[in-house]
Amino acid sequence: MGKIAFVFSGQGAQVPGMGKDLQEISKAAREVFERADQVRPGTTRQCFEGSREELGETINTQPCVFAVDLAAARAVEERGIHPDCVAGFSLGEIAAVGFSGMLTDQQAFELVCARAKLMEEAAQNNKGAMAAVLKLDSAQVEKLCESYEHAWPVNYNCPKQTVAAASIQVIDSLCADVKQAGGKAVKLAVSGAFHSPYMESAADGLEQYLRDIPLNQPQIPVYANATALPYGENGKELLCRQCKSPVLWQKTIENMVADGVDTFIEVGVGKTLTGLIKKTAPEAQAFKVENKEDLDAVAAALGV
């Protein structure tokens, strides 16, 4: 058997009641939620009882998904499954950074709260939207975006799936262009044009925020969204760049496989990353863990 990687879910996967099952069966997961409530009172309530609308607000989404991601990872680890490396999709990268020991749990949670506030402010000041483009390769999406001053490919998810971000004024035209080119565009339920130049002010704010916070060396490799490579000495720069730079997810998975990973465990909410991994690296095993049933299944499959 090759290496095991944990991959942490991103914004958009949130659902009412998320994390409750893990909190009930895992001491390690409970401790994560308790620490989250110490930093941001009410986080656990929002995860377990919040409405879809409440959880859909960026200021709530990011801390709540972060808490569930980290709780799921700790529950899997508590079961005796230890990753050789980690990566997180968009918001999930902050959970991956925290899990790796680059920041303490408290520092990582405080960072994600600051990030959420900064990105929500940037989204309010620069009205944008996002759409997943299917059936076209990334080069075609790049070419379509070049026709507009305010449109960019921002998530390179897997073969034939790229997410584009654009201003509110041009998103519909871009989606029409995608259809004319033989593709399919699906608008995403997000509140801004994330991972685009519209997040420049959020990146600047994060730079200020991180200025006096020391980063530890990661205990295991953390693959960065912005480079698809493990973090090096430029950790703060990567954390700041991440919110305004494209997520190179397909390349990240390809690099992890090239480095010996053959088993991926998606920790957090949903199965989006599991699906993307199967399309990018069909030879690899991919599991998800968001509840007790999932946890039991992956433990049985890995013989622990």
Side-chain angles (χ1 to χ4, degrees):
M1 182 175 171
K3 296 178 180 177
I4 295 173
F6 285 4
V7 289
F8 292 76
S9 307
Q11 189 168 341
Q14 65 274 0
V15 292
M18 60 185 184
K20 191 172 190 298
D21 190 35
L22 288 173
Q23 184 261 357
E24 290 172 349
I25 59 111
S26 167
K27 179 176 183 289
R30 280 196 298 278
E31 289 173 351
V32 170
F33 286 111
E34 286 167 5
R35 281 192 290 272
D37 281 336
Q38 288 169 4
V39 176
R40 181 181 180 271
T43 298
T44 298
R45 183 205 63 77
Q46 282 187 331
C47 291
F48 299 171
E49 303 171 17
S51 67
R52 193 171 295 275
E53 292 71 27
E54 184 180 9
L55 288 169
E57 296 175 17
T58 296
I59 199 74
N60 298 327
T61 312
Q62 295 199 12
C64 288
V65 171
F66 171 93
V68 177
D69 279 4
L70 193 58
R74 292 277 161 73
V76 177
E77 189 179 44
E78 183 182 51
R79 198 66 177 264
I81 300 168
H82 303 282
D84 298 287
C85 56
V86 294
F89 189 96
S90 187
L91 161 68
E93 183 161 316
I94 312 302
V97 162
F99 182 84
S100 77
M102 290 173 66
L103 294 167
T104 66
D105 284 1
Q106 179 171 330
Q107 287 174 325
F109 197 75
E110 289 170 347
L111 171 61
V112 87
C113 292
R115 182 182 186 270
K117 184 173 183 291
L118 289 164
M119 290 179 73
E120 183 170 82
E121 289 171 354
Q124 289 171 349
N125 293 331
N126 299 279
K127 299 294 185 183
M130 300 173 75
V133 179
L134 313 176
K135 301 182 181 179
L136 302 181
D137 61 37
S138 58
Q140 290 174 287
V141 179
E142 290 168 355
K143 189 169 183 180
L144 291 174
C145 288
E146 285 172 3
S147 303
Y148 299 92
E149 184 180 357
H150 297 287
W152 310 271
V154 292
N155 296 348
Y156 292 80
N157 288 351
C158 66
K160 303 291 185 181
Q161 186 182 134
T162 306
V163 173
S167 67
I168 287 290
Q169 290 79 9
V170 306
I171 190 69
D172 288 335
S173 295
L174 179 61
C175 289
D177 290 348
V178 167
K179 185 176 181 180
Q180 187 160 1
K184 179 181 179 181
V186 180
K187 284 189 182 178
L188 303 183
V190 294
S191 60
F194 302 127
H195 299 288
S196 79
Y198 275 10
M199 293 293 115
E200 185 81 42
S201 63
D204 291 344
L206 282 174
E207 183 179 3
Q208 292 288 330
Y209 179 86
L210 287 167
R211 184 159 290 173
D212 299 321
I213 298 175
L215 291 185
N216 302 317
Q217 285 297 312
Q219 295 169 4
I220 54 175
V222 182
Y223 286 72
N225 286 177
T227 62
L229 297 170
Y231 271 73
E233 297 300 321
N234 58 338
K236 289 187 181 183
E237 180 205 341
L238 288 174
L239 281 171
C240 296
R241 272 176 59 192
Q242 194 247 19
C243 65
K244 66 174 183 179
S245 298
V247 175
L248 306 181
W249 191 250
Q250 179 182 335
K251 187 64 177 172
T252 296
I253 299 305
E254 291 170 347
N255 286 346
M256 294 174 100
V257 169
D259 290 340
V261 174
D262 67 1
T263 302
F264 292 88
I265 302 174
E266 178 176 4
V267 286
V269 192
K271 56 184 179 180
T272 298
L273 302 185
T274 305
L276 298 181
I277 289 164
K278 288 178 178 178
K279 291 175 182 175
T280 302
E283 71 282 7
Q285 293 189 96
F287 304 93
K288 71 176 183 74
V289 173
E290 62 176 326
N291 54 40
K292 181 182 184 298
E293 183 181 352
D294 294 339
L295 186 56
D296 290 342
V298 74
L302 299 183
V304 296

